[in-house]
Amino acid sequence: MANAASGAGVNSECITKFNELQAKRLHRYVTYKLHDSKEVVIDQVGERGATYEDFVSALPENDCRYAVFDFDYMTPEEVPKSKIYYIFWSPDCAKVRSKMLYASSNSKFKTGLNGIQIEMQATDASEISRDAIQDRIKDRAC
């Protein structure tokens, strides 16, 4: 079992898939999970044509996940842009043990993901609604 102080290890495929999303734009999102409480592994990969709603529905209602999403939007000047979000999904109804394991590995995991532009933690779907995401973009523009 992973030591809570040090966090779980990270499977190298996690970084590979993130780089494919960030640099090559091959995926819309990637979700990650803890395997046997020891290692962060790929959970799901959303194809480039996947929607934000597809991403949100890929997050389990009763367990934690780490996720990255390449969010496309238009600026007020009608210029297309995108931001890469990192989301630590920790729903209220997840088991306490799961929340603790994910929380203890969060910093170590996201450190390896170079290119994250906005970080969020969410405990329910309203915190990562499309409006909440767009509000974070507006907050960053100021």
Side-chain angles (χ1 to χ4, degrees):
M1 188 178 307
N3 178 335
S6 63
V10 178
N11 184 290
S12 62
E13 188 65 16
C14 294
I15 306 303
T16 300
K17 288 294 179 196
F18 174 77
N19 289 336
E20 289 174 0
L21 176 143
Q22 191 252 349
K24 298 179 182 177
R25 303 281 196 215
L26 296 179
H27 315 295
R28 178 61 63 192
Y29 66 86
V30 183
T31 62
Y32 306 90
K33 66 180 179 179
L34 282 172
H35 177 68
D36 293 335
S37 303
K38 296 178 191 170
E39 182 179 39
V40 179
V41 297
I42 300 290
D43 180 36
Q44 296 184 46
V45 177
E47 63 186 47
R48 192 69 195 162
T51 66
Y52 189 72
E53 290 71 25
D54 295 333
F55 164 67
V56 172
S57 68
L59 298 171
E61 291 180 21
N62 59 357
D63 201 6
C64 302
R65 291 292 185 271
Y66 306 122
V68 290
F69 186 87
D70 187 4
F71 188 82
D72 292 333
Y73 66 98
M74 295 293 273
T75 67
E77 297 79 24
E78 297 298 318
V79 177
K81 298 256 185 173
S82 71
K83 297 257 185 225
I84 296 178
Y85 277 78
Y86 174 84
I87 298 171
F88 174 22
W89 175 246
S90 184
D92 288 330
C93 58
K95 293 180 180 176
V96 172
R97 182 178 180 349
S98 179
K99 289 181 184 183
M100 289 176 61
L101 287 168
Y102 275 84
S104 69
S105 298
N106 186 43
S107 290
K108 179 179 178 181
F109 176 62
K110 73 180 174 187
T111 298
L113 305 179
N114 296 318
I116 294 170
Q117 296 163 306
I118 298 177
E119 296 178 27
M120 299 178 75
Q121 181 172 343
T123 58
D124 66 53
S126 70
E127 294 177 337
I128 56 167
S129 69
R130 183 175 289 279
D131 288 342
I133 296 292
Q134 290 174 325
D135 286 347
R136 289 295 294 265
I137 291 170
K138 289 176 191 171
D139 291 346
R140 285 296 201 94
C142 298

